[in-house]
Amino acid sequence: MTIEELKRAAGVVMFGGDVREVADLGLATLSLSLTASLASSILLSWAYSAFFGSRATGSNVHRAFPLISLAVTAIFICVQFSLPLSLGLLGSLSIVRFRTPIKEPEEIGFIMLVIASALCCASFNVAFLIAILAAAGVAMAILRWSPGFLSRRSGSGTLVIRCSVDQYRTALPALVPIIEAHLSRPSFDSLSTADSECVLTWSFQKVSLTKSAELEQKLQQQLPDAKLGLYYHGHANA
């Protein structure tokens, strides 16, 4: 069977005996499909920036959403009318490797949303497109404002104190109340001693800039010769 026969057979199966080409859709229909794809991708880009753009660890993948959506829409508009093109697409995808790191788990979800909305536009299914975007909006609202395990942690940090063993033994009763008063959910992690020097570490959930300055001042009063290190990853409030 020749390629033309395969193409015609695929068209009979897909369109009930009516073999159609991409050109048969018309410029207006193609333009509307691409416009809807672009609009939905811009909406998802805005949603990513509004809900998750404040994170410093993201890769700003939302800047590629419009191009990804237009490319996916155009590809699937073409391949749905051509069996050889669809088979060639499978072969090309088997050798494509994406090297861009995904630094936030939400980025994977947004990329899948962009692809899903592009497929709806390519298949001219407006109802599914509206339903997907509405459901995604509800899901993002739940993730953003819900309490409990769905909410994102404020951050995580580590307090490191390096001092002499004698200072540690003398100031320990006063250190614990000071740390508990200035850090959120502090937890003692480790204590190591070597050559009359000890290193203590605490982990905590979050801290404000004011509290961190007060903590450093009070710890220096209790341990004048100690070396302090406060490491925090998150959004510190004033």
Side-chain angles (χ1 to χ4, degrees):
M1 182 177 290
T2 63
I3 293 179
E4 291 297 329
E5 291 174 343
L6 287 173
K7 184 176 179 180
R8 184 171 297 276
V12 171
V13 173
M14 294 174 60
F15 303 105
D18 181 18
V19 180
R20 299 176 60 186
E21 302 286 345
V22 178
D24 295 338
L25 294 175
L27 183 60
T29 303
L30 291 174
S31 300
L32 286 176
S33 178
L34 293 175
T35 301
S37 177
L38 179 61
S40 62
S41 64
I42 293 175
L43 179 62
L44 290 173
S45 298
W46 171 84
Y48 179 90
S49 299
F51 284 85
F52 305 105
S54 60
R55 302 186 183 181
T57 57
S59 60
N60 293 323
V61 69
H62 65 287
R63 296 182 300 175
F65 286 175
L67 295 179
I68 293 175
S69 183
L70 288 175
V72 172
T73 301
I75 288 173
F76 279 90
I77 286 178
C78 293
V79 301
Q80 67 178 315
F81 296 104
S82 174
L83 180 61
L85 281 178
S86 62
L87 295 177
L89 177 64
L90 291 177
S92 63
L93 289 179
S94 64
I95 62 174
V96 172
R97 297 292 184 271
F98 295 98
R99 300 299 184 184
T100 302
I102 300 299
K103 298 182 179 180
E104 292 287 350
E106 289 84 2
E107 292 181 354
I108 301 176
F110 272 96
I111 292 175
M112 295 303 296
L113 279 175
V114 172
I115 295 175
S117 62
L119 290 177
C120 290
C121 295
S123 59
F124 313 103
N125 201 326
V126 180
F128 274 16
L129 176 62
I130 296 175
I132 288 174
L133 294 178
V138 173
M140 284 184 283
I142 293 175
L143 290 173
R144 178 68 180 272
W145 290 292
S146 66
F149 70 96
L150 286 177
S151 61
R152 181 179 182 265
R153 287 186 174 183
S154 301
S156 60
T158 303
L159 171 65
V160 181
I161 301 176
R162 185 186 297 270
C163 62
S164 65
V165 176
D166 294 336
Q167 283 184 330
Y168 157 69
R169 292 173 179 173
T170 303
L172 179 60
L175 291 180
V176 176
I178 294 174
I179 294 174
E180 291 179 348
H182 293 81
L183 299 179
S184 174
R185 298 182 182 178
S187 175
F188 180 72
D189 288 340
S190 65
L191 168 64
S192 60
T193 59
D195 299 331
S196 70
E197 187 180 56
C198 68
V199 179
L200 303 93
T201 60
W202 277 267
S203 61
F204 57 92
Q205 184 173 349
K206 62 181 179 179
V207 67
S208 65
L209 295 177
T210 304
K211 291 286 187 179
S212 63
E214 293 177 356
L215 175 63
E216 181 181 3
Q217 181 182 5
K218 292 185 177 182
L219 289 178
Q220 288 290 359
Q221 292 175 356
Q222 296 294 329
L223 303 168
D225 300 327
K227 296 180 180 179
L228 306 177
L230 185 65
Y231 309 96
Y232 180 67
H233 172 70
H235 303 284
N237 300 321

